[in-house]
């Protein structure tokens, strides 16, 4: 386990006002709430934040709002990935200026960029700031799967510190950690947190930790203390919730669960669909049956 980066980090959701603007004060309340619930750090402007549905200005203001609310208490990793290198660099510069701890970036997407172009994109972002970089590997969404060869190349850069690994290829996760034990590897699929930890991950970054930080920490802590039975027991409980979350849309569902805790988030941005009445009912059920008793 890495001494600096480990544990359970929430990939923060983006709250909106009733007229669809980003609600920075609800976001700051969420940061505070999660710290009270024992979260170890934050991942800002990731997939979970609907980052690609936010304007440049909103992404920059979100970074500022989170760093400010966190006030140095926990680690803040800012996702700066974009289809354009220049845009990614501009977010990285905002992160550095605001006082974030690290950056992370998905590979450039849509056009099928070559491996050499993708490597150059990361090198350019890393050259633009002093902040450490966590490469975001999410082949399902980006269309590019990080390989041992690409990682080897990027790891020559002194700013390279780790990988956010959102893939179910646990063999690759293990190989990355075994070949580069100095790198931090974050497990990205919350439903496989225990598997990722067993294969060498230092912790997890995920959407569902917004609404069940305590339960996720129970998985992490049971694993850390060597109790595999408990690790599995808590993972299974988490997965009962995640199953429903995935059924009704991850981001809308996570926000719906936080509304049950008293937040006002006003749904997700189009083209994501709003939560259905049926979804609300099923989410309420797992909230009461699993989340509340495991606090
Ligand atoms: O990277 C997250 N992925 C997305 C992490 O946001 C797309 C995960 O936390 C998943 O949302 C979660 C549900 O599949 O594991």
């Amino acid at each position: 386990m890495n001494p600096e980066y480990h544990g359970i980090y929430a990939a923060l959701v983006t709250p909106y006002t009733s007229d669809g603007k980003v609600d920075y004060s609800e976001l700051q309340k969420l940061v505070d709430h999660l710290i009270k619930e024992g979260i170890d750090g934050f991942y800002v402007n990731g997939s979970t934040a609907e980052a690609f549905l936010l304007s440049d200005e909103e992404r920059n203001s979100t970074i500022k709002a989170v760093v400010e609310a966190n006030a140095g208490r926990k680690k803040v990793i800012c996702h700066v990935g974009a289809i354009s290198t220049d845009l990614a660099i501009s977010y990285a510069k905002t992160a550095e200026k605001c006082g974030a701890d690290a950056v992370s970036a998905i590979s450039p997407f849509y056009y099928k960029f070559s491996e050499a172009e993708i490597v150059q994109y990361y090198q350019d972002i890393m050259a633009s700031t002093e902040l450490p970089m966590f490469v975001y590997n999410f082949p399902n969404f980006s269309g590019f799967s990080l390989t041992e060869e690409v990682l080897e190349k990027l790891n020559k850069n002194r700013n390279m510190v780790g990988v956010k690994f959102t893939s179910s290829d646990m063999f690759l996760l293990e190989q990355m950690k075994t070949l580069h034990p100095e790198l931090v590897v974050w497990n990205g699929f919350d439903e496989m947190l225990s598997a990722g930890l067993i294969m060498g991950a230092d912790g997890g970054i995920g959407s569902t930790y917004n609404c069940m930080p305590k339960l996720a920490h129970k998985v992490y802590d049971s694993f850390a203390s060597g109790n595999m039975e408990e690790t599995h027991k808590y993972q299974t409980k988490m997965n009962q919730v995640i199953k429903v979350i995935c059924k009704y849309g991850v981001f809308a569902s996570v926000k719906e669960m936080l509304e049950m805790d008293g937040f006002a988030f006003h749904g997700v941005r189009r083209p994501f669909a709003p939560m259905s009445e049926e979804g609300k009912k099923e989410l309420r059920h797992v909230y009461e049956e699993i989340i509340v008793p495991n606090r």
Side-chain angles (χ1 to χ4, degrees):
M1 188 188 63
N2 182 280
E4 216 182 340
Y5 288 99
H6 57 261
I8 299 296
Y9 281 38
L12 289 166
V13 290
T14 300
Y16 301 113
T17 59
S18 56
D19 56 354
K21 303 210 169 68
V22 174
D23 190 336
Y24 300 103
S25 90
E26 280 294 283
L27 180 60
Q28 293 188 317
K29 259 170 61 190
L30 176 62
V31 167
D32 236 28
H33 163 82
L34 288 171
I35 294 177
K36 284 190 198 111
E37 296 278 303
I39 209 80
D40 299 302
F42 300 102
Y43 193 78
V44 182
N45 284 338
S47 317
T48 308
E50 303 162 62
F52 298 108
L53 302 177
L54 301 179
S55 69
D56 297 356
E57 203 260 310
E58 287 171 331
R59 276 180 72 168
N60 285 320
S61 303
T62 296
I63 295 173
K64 189 163 175 280
V66 173
V67 173
E68 215 176 86
N70 179 59
R73 289 178 287 177
K74 303 290 167 190
K75 292 271 191 214
V76 177
I77 304 174
C78 296
H79 174 255
V80 302
I83 187 174
S84 136
T85 302
D86 288 334
L87 192 52
I89 288 175
S90 77
Y91 297 138
K93 286 192 183 297
T94 301
E96 187 160 43
K97 197 178 81 207
C98 291
D101 295 284
V103 292
S104 175
I106 193 70
S107 48
F109 44 87
Y110 188 76
Y111 298 112
K112 295 228 175 291
F113 295 105
S114 71
E115 196 179 286
E117 287 167 331
I118 292 171
V119 169
Q120 194 55 49
Y121 159 94
Y122 283 112
Q123 300 290 18
D124 289 341
I125 301 171
M126 287 193 274
S128 76
T129 134
E130 288 295 309
L131 293 182
M133 161 69 80
F134 294 96
V135 167
Y136 185 6
N137 180 50
F138 192 4
N140 286 0
F141 279 15
S142 69
F144 171 76
S145 183
L146 188 60
T147 61
E148 283 175 27
E149 294 71 30
V150 168
L151 188 62
E152 181 83 47
K153 283 183 193 151
L154 295 177
N155 203 22
K156 296 204 167 65
N157 190 308
R158 66 183 179 90
N159 285 354
M160 175 72 190
V161 287
V163 179
K164 178 178 186 296
F165 193 89
T166 306
S167 152
S168 47
D169 188 346
M170 290 292 154
F171 180 29
L172 183 58
L173 184 154
E174 178 275 323
Q175 285 294 296
M176 289 182 171
K177 188 71 191 176
T178 303
L179 295 169
H180 308 282
E182 73 287 2
L183 288 179
V184 176
V185 177
W186 296 103
N187 181 77
F189 278 133
D190 314 354
E191 52 276 40
M192 282 181 266
L193 174 62
S194 59
L197 292 170
I198 289 174
M199 294 303 252
D202 298 274
I205 298 178
S207 342
T208 68
Y209 310 148
N210 280 283
C211 59
M212 45 181 171
K214 288 250 167 86
L215 193 46
H217 234 293
K218 286 183 185 181
V219 173
Y220 182 81
D221 294 339
S222 313
F223 175 77
S225 62
N227 191 335
M228 297 317 291
E229 216 169 295
E230 292 266 293
T231 308
H232 184 64
K233 181 182 98 185
Y234 290 124
Q235 182 72 63
T236 306
K237 281 189 194 295
M238 258 180 60
N239 288 2
Q240 273 179 270
V241 180
I242 296 178
K243 196 168 182 176
V244 182
I245 286 179
C246 288
K247 181 171 170 191
Y248 294 102
V250 176
F251 316 135
S253 298
V254 167
K255 286 177 172 177
E256 182 66 32
M257 298 269 214
L258 284 161
E259 298 238 340
M260 295 173 199
D261 281 330
F263 287 94
F265 282 178
H266 301 98
V268 280
R269 268 192 185 165
R270 292 188 296 178
F272 283 123
M275 181 52 56
S276 64
E277 285 309 313
E278 187 199 341
K280 280 186 193 173
K281 243 197 249 155
E282 264 192 72
L283 288 164
R284 165 71 64 183
H285 180 75
V286 285
Y287 174 81
E288 275 160 16
E289 292 290 307
I290 297 162
I291 296 187
V292 175
N294 282 288
R295 281 202 163 133

